[in-house]
Amino acid sequence: MSIESSWELRCQSRPRSLCVYNAAATSEETNPFEVAAGADTPTAQAVVFGSEKGSLHYRTYSSSQSGSTKTPLGSGRGSSNNNNLPRAYLPVDLPEGSLPGAVVAVVPALDAPSHRPVFLILIDDNKGNASSAAQPGMYAATLVTLQHGSFSKLSTPTPLPRISSATYHTSCGFVVCTGRRIQCIRQEVFLDLPKSSRRKTTNHKVDFSKVALPPPGSRGGQDALTVIHNGRVAVIAVGNAVLAIPDGATSVSSDIIKIASFSQSSQVHPVLCLDIQDKSMDPDWASLFLANGREACVVDVQLDSSNSSISCSPPRNGMISVASPILAAATSWPWLTLLTSDGLVSIRSPSCLAIPLKTVEVGTRPNDFFVMRTYQEELHKIPTIVSMSYSGDAKTLQCQPDTKQDLADRLMRHSIDAFGNDGFPRQQLADAVHASFTATSYIGPEPTDHACKLLRQYLEAILGLTDFEGGAKPGWPTEWSVNKPATNTTPKTSAFLTSAFEEASTTATQSHATPLAESAPVVTAETPEALLCGTSLLCLVATLLGPQPKASLANRAAKKCAAQMGVVVNIDLKSAARVNELVAGHLLKQFTQKPNMNLTGSSSQNKLSSNTHMEFVEAATWLLRSCGMHERAIGTLFQHMQRQQSPDRAYPEGGFWPQIKYESYTATHLGELWGTSDDVACQLVLESPATKRLLEKNPVLGLNVFTVLHPQNANQWKQLNAADDPLANSKNPAKVIQLLKSINPTTSYEQHYHDDDDSLPMNSGRALAIAFLESAIGINTGRPTEEDEFHSLAPDLSAEARIADFHDELCYLLLEGVLSERGDDYPPKKDSTPLGRIYQQRLRRLLRWPLAKVSSERLMSNLPKTFLQEHALVLGRMGRHQDALRILYVECKSMDLALEYCDLRYEQQVARKEAERARLAARGILDDQRDDASKREGCVYLPLVRVALESDPDKKRGVTAAIQVLALRRGAIDRAAALRLLPKNVPVSAVARPFLIPALVESESQARRLRVVSSLLRARHIALKQQLTDAQLKAQAHLHVVPQLKSMNFGDPLHSTKPLKIKPSISASATFPEVVVIQHFFPRHVVIQAKITNSSGIIDGRALGNVAFVVAESSEEGVQPMQQIPIKVLPYGATGSCWFVLVASPSRMDGSAILTCELRYTVLGVDATTGAPLSFGHGSSGRTFVEELQDLEILPSYFS
């Protein structure tokens, strides 16, 4: 906070009350001469203050006036342009004695016209007595307006009652307390409102008058009464209590609640009730600042709109006490400012009211400055506070953002107060936050519980850890939270004020919702030194809070700090890291101490203490993680888990984590480190003993550490960049595989295997390595097998070779698993293990997978001869499909395996065809030649037919098998080629029933379906073409909508002729349509519109195509043809316009111009079934006609 300027009042009277608002805008003045005179006058702030001797004074101060001392506008001295000021800026005085006593309050009507403000004046005439039934109010009241350079009293229908306190709200007017009753003086009483506005204003009348306040009635003062929740709740001070009264409440209503109570109700010092206008709260909550004497608090009040009931939260952080009595307060969101009797103004945050952020001295005499009011400069949009004294001084103050030095020094001083000189890492903290020498050498008082609580409140506020019931957010602007970097030359209109004050109103205007200001914590990851140190100090102070240490607070703070810092691997903040390390060591030391047993030996207290200490251990691990000490954090947690299993453990009744929680925590920590892809972090995970322990104890959870970044579904695989492929970095996957193969899991539960269970149990290092590789290549997670648009690009050969090595590794691991479980026998013996069958199924699945990059030649040489199916699959990968089918059909003696092999190839072929068709369709290319390409690729079932006929020792059985293949796959096989492969001596009867007859029936049925589909598509095509034709005719119907004419920018025609029906010059053909011509004349052009109606009955409903009106010849050189616009298609019975443009030079015309005209058109063919045009005028065959029309005459006078 800083004092911006001092205002000279230029008044001999001693001030007693004050109000501030923006001065009248010159555009709203009723005098036009004043409007003209003040057109260039800058905006100004208006001040109305009352004096001790019953006078009123009006002053204005320019916001653009420089200097530390400002004089009133129009005061006569120091102003060179007083004659140019509008009347609204000139001083106005109501002489002393005009009012019957001291003016104790001036309450402005906020929605009154700026050129005619209205004020409610409260006057202390020494006649008030709150206990008197006749006149319960303390002060006399009158309504005053300021207009035409003078104060004048406003008359009201009924005299105003005596009033103790008053405020104003736009929804209900003046809200006043007449001792024990609250009333509303509505706008229609003192404002000249239109009838429509008056009805709108009185649509819902707020009524507090049914409530009789308890004796002695309302406290007096300028700020003893306020209204919140859009005027629906009144808050008033009665004695030593503050009551909240909802609209429509009665004296017996249970909705009237006491929201605060002070220890005394002395009338010596004023009571303050201010709406903080906390923009970060939920819409149904409001925040209040309450003060009396040395006591103050912030209370949140909720209004339930459904039943008009109210509730309140306890005071935020309790009731506070300050050193001197509070005389005044002002809100400057997100700050509060307090004026105390010693002349000090302190800036505070509602979230930690007990701690002054900054303090400014405005006066040296006690009890001199007595009031503070807030206004917002229109020039810079900065909230400014005015404080006035009884001696006639006025000073303006502005709240400034915290600097890093402010934060560091404040943190240092409060830490010394809470912990003492040696109770915390003092030097390390000073080095980390760069505290000043003054703050570091500060010698505070003896540590107390109160100092610890203050430090906790402050740290919770700056770290964003407060949890207020109304949802209020802590924080205030800082120099490093603005858009621009903080410098010494940064003007006071910097962005921090915009983000704190204007953004809420802007957002509310755009969304028409309740404004919610952005209220981020003061300390975030943008200032890591302060974040780390502040969190460490909060954890440390949590151990000192009574009656029991707040372990949950420490844990929550440390966890949030770690989340904001992210995964820290290399940290340069050595001092801050040292603070974290020392505090973490202190927390761990707290845990190692055995809890004190009480006299009764209660075990519940012992258990609660062990739980508390375990939370401190977790907080210590989060602190260590925040500063990059991951290995120590993991080791610390493991040591304390080991202590749980030791016979002499300190906590026999629990308090430790379950094993599964410890394993989940460790797996998450290791996974976050691995997910950074940082070499140091990855090496730490690979070498950490915790990784091996986790893989041995819980293999599935341990494996997730390394697979956490692998794509888990097809969409994630499609979005994956080639550089982010899990196997692209060959170094880390190879190390992971080496680590996994060295693990020997010791699971504590039995695995139950079933014949239908294909999940691989994690009971060996081999199984872990297989699971990792399967996740990395995507065979388990739906990696798309179709080619994408980047497949045609040149591959990275080195990366492909590295990935192929991992595929080979997976293949050999699976083969090793099969051999280790079932030996080298084929087929498997009855006593083969289920695990061996699982390995074998996964090996075959890999060999069938289209994306597998296994080295087929090398694998073929290493496969045992008895692995027949595997041999067949490898031969298929090498393109030797017939040899593969020979193994399956002849050696394995299984037609089902052979058909399964062919079905897999067929599915892959269809998938490739569909992907290629979709890719061509996306590029707008027709794929008419795709069937030929499929034929060139070959039928996948023909090799099986050949193998059955050629390789089966029993020829008859071979023929039967071949016919079986034709019958089972007749819809997919090349039928003609398959029939040609059969021996010539095979009778037709052997093929007819299983193959020929079903194939013939299916072919005929498919032909019928295709004909129906073709007809439907043809009809759809014709309908779309018809719609296109109608749209084209409509687009050429008028002169100003034809695109070709619009591009010529003719403008409006000089005139247009009447429609003229034109006939042929000689005998016309029977197909001649009806022609009507309209001529449009422009200064240098002639546009002829020919309306053609296809109405000839001889053409039997056919359409006309390429209908054009043509000027073949002109008799004048001054009128020559330029462009023709034909009709593409003109259906029968339709009318369309074709156009012809001529260039005209009227000055070169010797006389009239005779135009020789023709009509050209083609009679289109039609569909025999639907009667629709077959070609719609595009390259169609049909008879073309050229008809000579009667001549047109153009005179030079037509262009004038």
Side-chain angles (χ1 to χ4, degrees):
M1 174 177 289
S2 62
I3 298 178
E4 298 299 308
S5 62
S6 297
W7 288 356
E8 293 184 2
L9 300 182
R10 299 290 174 89
C11 175
Q12 300 300 324
S13 303
R14 294 168 58 89
R16 180 70 185 273
S17 56
L18 170 69
C19 77
V20 185
Y21 62 96
N22 290 324
T26 56
S27 60
E28 295 178 348
E29 285 286 350
T30 58
N31 189 332
F33 296 100
E34 295 182 1
V35 174
D40 298 330
T41 304
T43 57
Q45 284 70 50
V47 175
V48 176
F49 59 94
S51 71
E52 189 75 27
K53 297 183 179 181
S55 61
L56 278 178
H57 306 275
Y58 171 79
R59 302 287 186 268
T60 57
Y61 299 88
S62 173
S63 57
S64 60
Q65 183 178 351
S66 60
S68 59
T69 302
K70 293 184 179 182
T71 58
L73 294 175
S75 61
R77 288 179 294 174
S79 300
S80 59
N81 60 341
N82 290 338
N83 295 329
N84 296 327
L85 290 174
R87 183 182 297 174
Y89 285 2
L90 299 179
V92 178
D93 295 293
L94 187 66
E96 294 183 359
S98 300
L99 298 174
V103 179
V104 297
V106 179
V107 183
L110 301 178
D111 53 358
S114 59
H115 64 278
R116 185 178 174 271
V118 177
F119 310 95
L120 176 64
I121 309 298
L122 301 186
I123 307 161
D124 186 4
D125 56 358
N126 296 320
K127 297 180 181 179
N129 186 359
S131 61
S132 172
Q135 293 183 344
M138 294 184 178
Y139 311 117
T142 183
L143 287 173
V144 173
T145 184
L146 176 60
Q147 192 175 19
H148 303 308
S150 63
F151 288 104
S152 60
K153 181 178 180 181
L154 288 178
S155 61
T156 56
T158 58
L160 296 181
R162 295 186 67 84
I163 298 172
S164 297
S165 55
T167 188
Y168 189 87
H169 197 278
T170 54
S171 63
C172 48
F174 289 106
V175 181
V176 301
C177 183
T178 60
R180 296 185 61 186
R181 295 281 180 179
I182 300 177
Q183 301 179 9
C184 295
I185 305 175
R186 307 192 181 280
Q187 288 92 334
E188 54 265 28
V189 175
F190 53 87
L191 295 180
D192 296 332
L193 296 176
K195 292 184 178 180
S196 59
S197 177
R198 189 176 305 174
R199 286 194 299 267
K200 182 178 180 181
T201 303
T202 58
N203 187 24
H204 173 72
K205 292 186 177 181
V206 178
D207 185 14
F208 304 109
S209 60
K210 298 178 182 179
V211 177
L213 300 177
S218 168
R219 296 273 296 271
Q222 300 181 82
D223 299 311
L225 171 65
T226 189
V227 288
I228 55 176
H229 290 299
N230 199 27
R232 298 188 58 187
V233 177
V235 179
I236 190 167
V238 178
N240 67 335
V242 178
L243 305 180
I245 304 170
D247 173 27
T250 62
S251 299
V252 296
S253 174
S254 59
D255 293 334
I256 303 175
I257 62 171
K258 180 189 296 186
I259 61 177
S261 180
F262 301 105
S263 59
Q264 58 180 351
S265 59
S266 172
Q267 301 288 337
V268 176
H269 301 106
V271 63
L272 305 176
C273 301
L274 298 180
D275 184 3
I276 299 177
Q277 299 179 354
D278 192 336
K279 300 176 178 62
S280 67
M281 301 186 70
D282 296 336
D284 54 346
W285 284 82
S287 184
L288 292 169
F289 170 75
L290 309 175
N292 180 45
R294 291 182 172 86
E295 297 177 288
C297 65
V298 174
V299 178
D300 300 329
V301 180
Q302 183 187 28
L303 172 65
D304 188 350
S305 302
S306 59
N307 53 14
S308 298
S309 63
I310 54 178
S311 60
C312 70
S313 67
R316 297 185 188 178
N317 299 318
M319 188 77 67
I320 71 163
S321 296
V322 295
S324 301
I326 302 173
L327 301 182
T331 60
S332 180
W333 171 256
W335 293 296
L336 275 172
T337 54
L338 306 186
L339 171 64
T340 51
S341 61
D342 51 6
L344 299 179
V345 175
S346 59
I347 177 174
R348 300 169 186 254
S349 169
S351 55
C352 54
L353 190 62
I355 296 179
L357 305 180
K358 296 178 182 178
T359 302
V360 173
E361 185 179 39
V362 293
T364 57
R365 291 185 296 177
N367 297 308
D368 188 17
F369 281 81
F370 66 95
V371 66
M372 288 198 301
R373 292 290 181 262
T374 304
Y375 71 91
Q376 181 167 298
E377 284 188 3
E378 290 193 356
L379 181 61
H380 301 303
K381 303 297 182 183
I382 302 177
T384 305
I385 299 168
V386 179
S387 181
M388 184 174 287
S389 69
Y390 291 117
S391 58
D393 293 331
K395 295 183 179 181
T396 62
L397 305 95
Q398 287 181 358
C399 299
Q400 302 297 333
D402 251 356
T403 65
K404 290 186 178 181
Q405 196 63 56
D406 294 335
L407 180 66
D409 292 350
R410 192 182 306 123
L411 185 63
M412 197 73 195
R413 288 191 178 94
H414 285 288
S415 299
I416 294 173
D417 288 342
F419 303 118
N421 293 326
D422 301 322
F424 70 106
R426 179 170 181 165
Q427 188 58 47
Q428 291 82 357
L429 176 63
D431 294 339
V433 300
H434 306 290
S436 65
F437 175 77
T438 303
T440 306
S441 58
Y442 166 70
I443 300 177
E446 288 295 324
T448 61
D449 292 341
H450 179 68
C452 291
K453 292 179 180 179
L454 289 183
L455 180 59
R456 172 195 175 177
Q457 294 174 17
Y458 177 70
L459 291 174
E460 285 182 332
I462 66 173
L463 295 173
L465 293 171
T466 55
D467 188 17
F468 300 128
E469 189 175 355
K473 303 298 188 298
W476 51 88
T478 55
E479 285 191 350
W480 60 88
S481 65
V482 299
N483 296 329
K484 298 180 181 179
T487 61
N488 294 333
T489 59
T490 302
K492 295 177 181 178
T493 58
S494 57
F496 86 92
L497 292 170
T498 302
S499 63
F501 301 105
E502 292 184 60
E503 183 171 337
S505 60
T506 303
T507 304
T509 303
Q510 294 175 351
S511 62
H512 303 285
T514 302
L516 291 176
E518 182 181 356
S519 181
V522 176
V523 173
T524 62
E526 296 178 359
T527 53
E529 306 96 333
L531 177 61
L532 292 173
C533 294
T535 304
S536 300
L537 293 177
L538 183 56
C539 294
L540 185 60
V541 79
T543 64
L544 303 178
L545 298 174
Q548 187 176 4
K550 308 298 181 183
S552 59
L553 172 62
N555 193 12
R556 181 164 60 96
K559 188 174 183 179
K560 184 176 180 180
C561 175
Q564 291 190 62
M565 292 293 297
V567 181
V568 179
V569 180
N570 297 314
I571 189 168
D572 297 330
L573 311 174
K574 303 301 182 182
S575 298
R578 182 57 179 165
V579 173
N580 267 30
E581 184 180 9
L582 293 174
V583 173
H586 177 77
L587 298 181
L588 296 175
K589 183 178 179 181
Q590 289 286 103
F591 177 78
T592 57
Q593 297 175 355
K594 294 185 178 181
N596 296 326
M597 298 294 291
N598 55 22
L599 296 177
T600 60
S602 173
S603 60
S604 60
Q605 178 65 26
N606 188 34
K607 182 176 181 179
L608 179 62
S609 178
S610 61
N611 283 325
T612 298
H613 285 284
M614 191 58 200
E615 283 199 272
F616 277 123
V617 172
E618 184 180 359
T621 60
W622 286 116
L623 289 178
L624 293 172
R625 290 176 59 173
S626 300
C627 58
M629 300 180 182
H630 300 282
E631 189 64 31
R632 181 177 175 185
I634 295 172
T636 297
L637 197 58
F638 174 71
Q639 292 174 6
H640 287 83
M641 291 302 297
Q642 287 293 103
R643 188 172 301 161
Q644 179 184 8
Q645 304 172 1
S646 63
D648 56 343
R649 58 188 181 185
Y651 307 99
E653 297 200 19
F656 290 88
W657 285 352
Q659 184 67 23
I660 185 61
K661 182 177 179 180
Y662 163 73
E663 292 173 353
S664 300
Y665 181 91
T666 305
T668 303
H669 188 184
L670 294 172
E672 290 176 358
L673 288 172
W674 186 261
T676 61
S677 299
D678 182 84
D679 292 340
V680 176
C682 293
Q683 192 65 26
L684 189 152
V685 174
L686 291 171
E687 297 178 355
S688 175
T691 306
K692 295 182 179 180
R693 289 194 299 266
L694 184 62
L695 288 168
E696 292 173 353
K697 296 280 187 180
N698 194 333
V700 176
L701 198 58
L703 187 62
N704 287 338
V705 172
F706 302 103
T707 61
V708 64
L709 295 182
H710 294 178
Q712 300 300 317
N713 52 55
N715 289 333
Q716 293 181 6
W717 279 110
K718 290 179 180 179
Q719 298 170 4
L720 186 71
N721 296 325
D724 297 331
D725 189 283
L727 298 177
N729 182 1
S730 61
K731 185 184 300 183
N732 285 337
K735 293 180 179 179
V736 173
I737 295 172
Q738 183 179 1
L739 171 64
L740 295 177
K741 290 166 67 174
S742 66
I743 299 299
N744 184 21
T746 56
T747 55
S748 59
Y749 54 90
E750 296 182 0
Q751 296 285 350
H752 301 280
Y753 306 110
H754 305 281
D755 293 339
D756 57 348
D757 187 7
D758 60 348
S759 61
L760 182 64
M762 301 291 106
N763 63 345
S764 65
R766 181 195 307 114
L768 288 170
I770 290 172
F772 171 79
L773 285 171
E774 287 182 339
S775 175
I777 67 175
I779 193 172
N780 279 339
T781 52
R783 186 171 187 170
T785 58
E786 65 271 10
E787 299 175 356
D788 56 20
E789 58 271 20
F790 301 104
H791 183 75
S792 58
L793 299 177
D796 185 351
L797 297 180
S798 60
E800 292 292 326
R802 291 195 301 267
I803 294 176
D805 291 340
F806 290 111
H807 285 241
D808 287 340
E809 178 74 19
L810 174 59
C811 185
Y812 286 111
L813 285 172
L814 291 170
L815 180 59
E816 180 184 342
V818 177
L819 294 175
S820 64
E821 292 296 328
R822 75 174 185 110
D824 198 19
D825 298 324
Y826 192 88
K829 296 180 179 180
K830 294 183 179 179
D831 57 352
S832 298
T833 63
L835 184 57
R837 290 194 293 272
I838 293 175
Y839 279 122
Q840 188 177 42
Q841 291 171 3
R842 290 176 176 258
L843 175 61
R844 293 172 181 172
R845 182 183 64 175
L846 175 63
L847 295 177
R848 293 190 189 102
W849 195 42
L851 298 183
K853 296 179 173 59
V854 179
S855 177
S856 302
E857 292 80 2
R858 185 169 60 178
L859 179 61
M860 179 66 76
S861 62
N862 292 324
L863 274 176
K865 296 181 179 179
T866 54
F867 281 56
L868 298 180
Q869 288 192 46
E870 288 76 9
H871 271 283
L873 293 174
V874 175
L875 287 172
R877 297 186 59 83
M878 300 170 65
R880 298 166 56 183
H881 302 294
Q882 196 161 329
D883 294 339
L885 290 171
R886 187 175 290 110
I887 292 176
L888 297 175
Y889 177 73
V890 177
E891 298 186 33
C892 293
K893 300 178 181 180
S894 174
M895 174 61 74
D896 293 337
L897 290 177
L899 279 176
E900 182 182 353
Y901 178 89
C902 294
D903 291 341
L904 178 62
R905 289 191 59 210
Y906 178 75
E907 291 173 1
Q908 294 173 358
Q909 188 182 77
V910 172
R912 288 194 299 271
K913 184 192 301 183
E914 293 298 329
E916 181 65 19
R917 182 179 290 114
R919 185 156 50 250
L920 293 176
R923 297 167 57 185
I925 302 176
L926 299 178
D927 55 345
D928 297 335
Q929 306 300 322
R930 292 300 299 164
D931 292 337
D932 295 340
S934 299
K935 291 178 181 178
R936 290 194 300 268
E937 194 175 353
C939 177
V940 298
Y941 293 99
L942 293 181
L944 179 56
V945 175
R946 292 191 185 95
V947 168
L949 294 174
E950 297 173 359
S951 302
D952 198 323
D954 189 346
K955 298 299 182 181
K956 183 177 181 181
R957 186 177 60 187
V959 171
T960 303
I963 295 175
Q964 183 184 5
V965 173
L966 269 67
L968 293 176
R969 299 296 184 267
R970 58 178 174 268
I973 198 171
D974 186 346
R975 298 168 183 173
L979 287 174
R980 285 194 293 269
L981 291 177
L982 294 177
K984 296 182 180 179
N985 59 356
V986 176
V988 176
S989 59
V991 187
R993 182 176 295 275
F995 175 67
L996 290 179
I997 295 175
L1000 182 61
V1001 172
E1002 289 179 1
S1003 298
E1004 185 178 358
S1005 176
Q1006 184 177 9
R1008 287 197 300 269
R1009 288 196 302 270
L1010 292 177
R1011 282 197 296 272
V1012 173
V1013 172
S1014 177
S1015 299
L1016 293 174
L1017 292 176
R1018 175 74 178 172
R1020 176 62 175 165
H1021 176 73
I1022 292 173
L1024 292 175
K1025 284 292 188 180
Q1026 188 68 43
Q1027 294 177 12
L1028 177 61
T1029 300
D1030 295 340
Q1032 290 174 346
L1033 292 176
K1034 186 176 180 181
Q1036 289 187 206
H1038 302 286
L1039 176 66
H1040 297 291
V1041 298
V1042 181
Q1044 295 89 329
L1045 298 180
K1046 289 175 63 177
S1047 64
M1048 297 180 184
N1049 298 320
F1050 290 151
D1052 294 331
L1054 299 175
H1055 69 91
S1056 302
T1057 63
K1058 294 181 179 180
L1060 174 64
K1061 186 174 182 179
I1062 293 188
K1063 298 180 180 180
S1065 60
I1066 56 176
S1067 60
S1069 62
T1071 60
F1072 184 77
E1074 180 181 337
V1075 181
V1076 176
V1077 172
I1078 303 174
Q1079 301 175 54
H1080 307 279
F1081 292 92
F1082 297 87
R1084 301 194 55 86
H1085 294 85
V1086 179
V1087 178
I1088 300 176
Q1089 177 183 5
K1091 291 186 176 181
I1092 313 298
T1093 302
N1094 184 6
S1095 58
S1096 178
I1098 197 66
I1099 64 175
D1100 194 20
R1102 295 189 179 188
L1104 303 181
N1106 297 322
V1107 183
F1109 180 91
V1110 180
V1111 176
E1113 186 179 358
S1114 173
S1115 63
E1116 278 285 343
E1117 293 183 358
V1119 179
Q1120 293 297 321
M1122 177 180 176
Q1123 182 180 359
Q1124 66 175 1
I1125 304 173
I1127 302 173
K1128 294 182 179 181
V1129 179
L1130 186 63
Y1132 181 75
T1135 299
S1137 295
C1138 56
W1139 304 78
F1140 196 89
V1141 183
L1142 300 100
V1143 179
S1145 298
S1147 60
R1148 298 174 57 189
M1149 295 176 63
D1150 297 332
S1152 62
I1154 304 300
L1155 305 180
T1156 302
C1157 304
E1158 296 177 352
L1159 182 67
R1160 302 172 184 177
Y1161 60 91
T1162 301
V1163 179
L1164 303 178
V1166 296
D1167 187 271
T1169 304
T1170 62
L1174 292 175
S1175 60
F1176 290 88
H1178 299 283
S1180 63
S1181 61
R1183 184 177 177 182
T1184 301
F1185 295 86
V1186 178
E1187 308 281 359
E1188 294 184 4
L1189 305 177
Q1190 66 185 53
D1191 296 339
L1192 297 178
E1193 183 180 10
I1194 297 178
L1195 299 176
S1197 61
Y1198 291 169
F1199 296 94
S1200 58

